[in-house]
């Protein structure tokens, strides 16, 4: 890699007009007094902390709130839109795209981890309206290359979170005035509530493909030294706890995935999960709120999972 050339031509010595004129020092004083970052890195840290504080399910400020920071043109809003369904909005007009995440929080309640992972992944591969991955991908491409994907991981207190995420261009940049946000919400609702399933089971081909992918992912960890070491360390450190096994399960569990067991896991998550819908981008997400409020109002849900704050064993109360 080539060395960065010094602005003075003398190795180890640099010159900055901003420092010389006192601009850098003035920006630092302004940031300290107002609390408003003046650098890109500082702004990213500030926004990241604010979003994490907003999403903390154990925070004392769980009422519907709305915060505005005029200097940054940022709006936060959170509200409950259904039984165990919560909507979080983060609006910043500087973004050109919108991200919508639907996160389902559940306990490790005896269901196979591999079945739950397969169910989450199948949801973003196809649905009744788009029964194959190629059809769904084609439709997403027509929405200015929008993306749709899912993952499964651990959440607070060793719980499971299955997340379905979508990214789409902001409506302001649509060439023909299309409502891209509403289109994307329609696809998300189709995938979540109308999957490619009949008679209590997922499509055979979709399930077989996903079973093979999960097995490949599990087996590939042994070839990644850092990932394998972290996995083995977790098995030892969290022995007897939910986090002692990968969120996608083991090779043996993955081999037992069937269309029926994966669909059963899907229904269990959909009906009992605490659902957080997190929206961030340039939109005010009115269409998103309307779409998901209507979609989840038709769904019967009970025994909603409760998120509880677990004290750390590494520090005193």
């Amino acid at each position: 890699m080539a060395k960065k050339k010094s602005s003075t031509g003398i190795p180890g010595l640099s010159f900055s007009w901003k420092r010389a004129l006192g601009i850098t020092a003035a920006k630092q004083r302004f940031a300290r007094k107002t609390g408003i970052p003046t650098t890109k890195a500082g702004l990213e840290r500030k926004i990241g902390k604010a979003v994490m504080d907003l999403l903390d399910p154990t925070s004392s400020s769980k009422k519907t709130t709305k915060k505005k920071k005029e200097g940054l043109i940022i709006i936060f809003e959170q509200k409950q839109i259904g039984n165990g369904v919560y909507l979080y909005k983060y609006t910043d007009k500087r973004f050109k795209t919108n991200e919508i995440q639907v996160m389902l929080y559940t306990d490790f309640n005896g269901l196979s981890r591999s079945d739950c992972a397969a169910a989450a992944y199948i949801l973003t591969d196809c649905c009744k309206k788009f029964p194959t991955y190629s059809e769904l991908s084609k439709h997403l491409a027509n929405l200015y290359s929008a993306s749709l994907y899912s993952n499964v991981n651990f959440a607070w207190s060793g719980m499971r979170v299955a997340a379905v995420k979508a990214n789409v261009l902001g409506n302001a940049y649509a060439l023909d005035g299309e409502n891209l946000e509403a289109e994307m919400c329609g696809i998300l609702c189709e995938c979540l509530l109308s999957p490619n399933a009949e008679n209590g089971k997922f499509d055979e081909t979709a399930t077989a493909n996903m079973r093979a992918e999960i097995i490949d992912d599990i087996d590939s960890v042994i070839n990644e030294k850092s990932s394998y070491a972290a996995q083995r360390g977790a098995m030892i450190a969290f022995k007897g706890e939910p986090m002692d096994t990968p969120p996608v399960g083991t090779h043996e569990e993955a081999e037992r995935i069937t269309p029926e067991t994966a669909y059963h896991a899907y229904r269990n998550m959909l009906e009992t999960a605490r659902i957080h819908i997190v929206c961030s981008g340039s939109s005010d997400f009115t269409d998103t709120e309307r779409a998901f409020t209507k979609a989840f109002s038709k769904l019967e849900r009970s025994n909603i999972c409760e998120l509880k704050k677990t004290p750390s064993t590494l520090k005193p109360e």
Side-chain angles (χ1 to χ4, degrees):
M1 181 182 291
K3 293 183 178 180
K4 186 178 180 181
K5 187 176 180 181
S6 171
S7 60
T8 62
I10 303 173
L13 179 63
S14 63
F15 177 78
S16 168
W17 280 109
K18 288 186 178 180
R19 285 202 305 267
L21 296 175
I23 295 175
T24 300
K27 289 170 68 176
Q28 291 174 348
R29 287 196 297 272
F30 174 80
R32 283 196 296 270
K33 288 184 178 181
T34 64
I36 299 175
T38 57
T39 64
K40 181 179 179 181
L43 181 62
E44 289 175 349
R45 287 195 298 271
K46 189 85 170 181
I47 292 174
K49 183 179 184 303
V51 172
M52 291 308 298
D53 289 344
L54 180 70
L55 299 183
D56 184 0
T58 60
S59 172
S60 57
S61 58
K62 290 307 294 176
K63 297 179 181 179
T64 299
T65 60
K66 191 170 185 178
K67 304 178 182 179
K68 295 184 180 180
K69 298 185 179 181
E70 296 180 0
L72 299 178
I73 324 175
I74 296 174
I75 300 174
F76 293 109
E77 187 176 352
Q78 55 178 333
K79 61 174 65 175
Q80 184 170 355
I81 62 172
N83 183 17
V85 184
Y86 300 84
L87 179 71
Y88 300 85
K89 301 179 185 179
Y90 165 61
T91 300
D92 190 328
K93 295 299 182 181
R94 290 169 293 184
F95 289 117
K96 294 180 175 63
T97 59
N98 296 314
E99 181 179 77
I100 304 170
Q101 303 183 48
V102 182
M103 299 187 289
L104 295 87
Y105 293 92
T106 55
D107 290 313
F108 288 97
N109 50 6
L111 291 174
S112 164
R113 299 184 184 214
S114 296
D115 282 329
C116 293
Y121 296 145
I122 289 172
L123 293 180
T124 52
D125 268 9
C126 56
C127 61
K128 283 186 178 178
K129 188 174 182 179
F130 306 105
T132 65
Y133 181 72
S134 60
E135 290 181 73
L136 180 58
S137 297
K138 182 179 179 180
H139 191 70
L140 292 172
N142 290 334
L143 296 179
Y144 300 89
S145 296
S147 62
L148 180 67
Y149 57 99
S150 55
N151 61 48
V152 179
N153 214 325
F154 294 113
W156 296 281
S157 306
M159 301 179 71
R160 170 177 42 234
V161 56
V164 177
K165 305 180 182 182
N167 283 282
V168 67
L169 190 68
N171 290 344
Y173 301 95
L175 297 179
D176 297 320
E178 306 100 308
N179 191 338
L180 302 177
E181 179 191 341
E183 287 274 354
M184 195 72 247
C185 287
I187 294 174
L188 273 170
C189 290
E190 285 284 342
C191 291
L192 283 166
L193 304 176
S194 299
N196 188 11
E198 287 184 354
N199 301 320
K201 62 180 182 179
F202 280 121
D203 178 73
E204 295 275 357
T205 302
T207 307
N209 291 339
M210 198 51 61
R211 180 172 56 245
E213 285 188 27
I214 291 175
I215 290 174
D216 287 344
D217 287 344
I218 293 172
D219 292 344
S220 67
V221 172
I222 198 169
N223 296 318
E224 296 287 340
K225 292 182 174 60
S226 59
S227 300
Y228 182 71
Q231 188 180 99
R232 295 294 298 176
M235 292 174 65
I236 297 171
F238 300 105
K239 186 176 182 180
E241 299 180 27
M243 295 179 68
D244 68 351
T245 305
V248 296
T250 63
H251 182 104
E252 292 72 20
E253 280 185 335
E255 287 185 329
R256 293 194 293 269
I257 296 173
T258 66
E260 292 83 2
T261 58
Y263 185 80
H264 174 68
Y266 155 72
R267 292 302 305 182
N268 182 275
M269 289 192 294
L270 189 64
E271 293 169 5
T272 65
R274 179 182 173 115
I275 300 175
H276 287 189
I277 303 169
V278 184
C279 315
S280 58
S282 58
S283 173
D284 62 3
F285 298 105
T286 302
D287 290 324
T288 300
E289 180 179 346
R290 185 183 301 113
F292 282 105
T293 300
K294 180 179 179 181
F296 283 107
S297 67
K298 302 175 183 178
L299 185 65
E300 294 185 7
R301 289 164 43 79
S302 59
N303 300 320
I304 306 300
C305 176
E306 291 292 333
L307 302 184
K308 299 178 182 179
K309 190 170 184 178
T310 302
S312 170
T313 58
L314 301 179
K315 58 184 180 182
E317 288 299 301

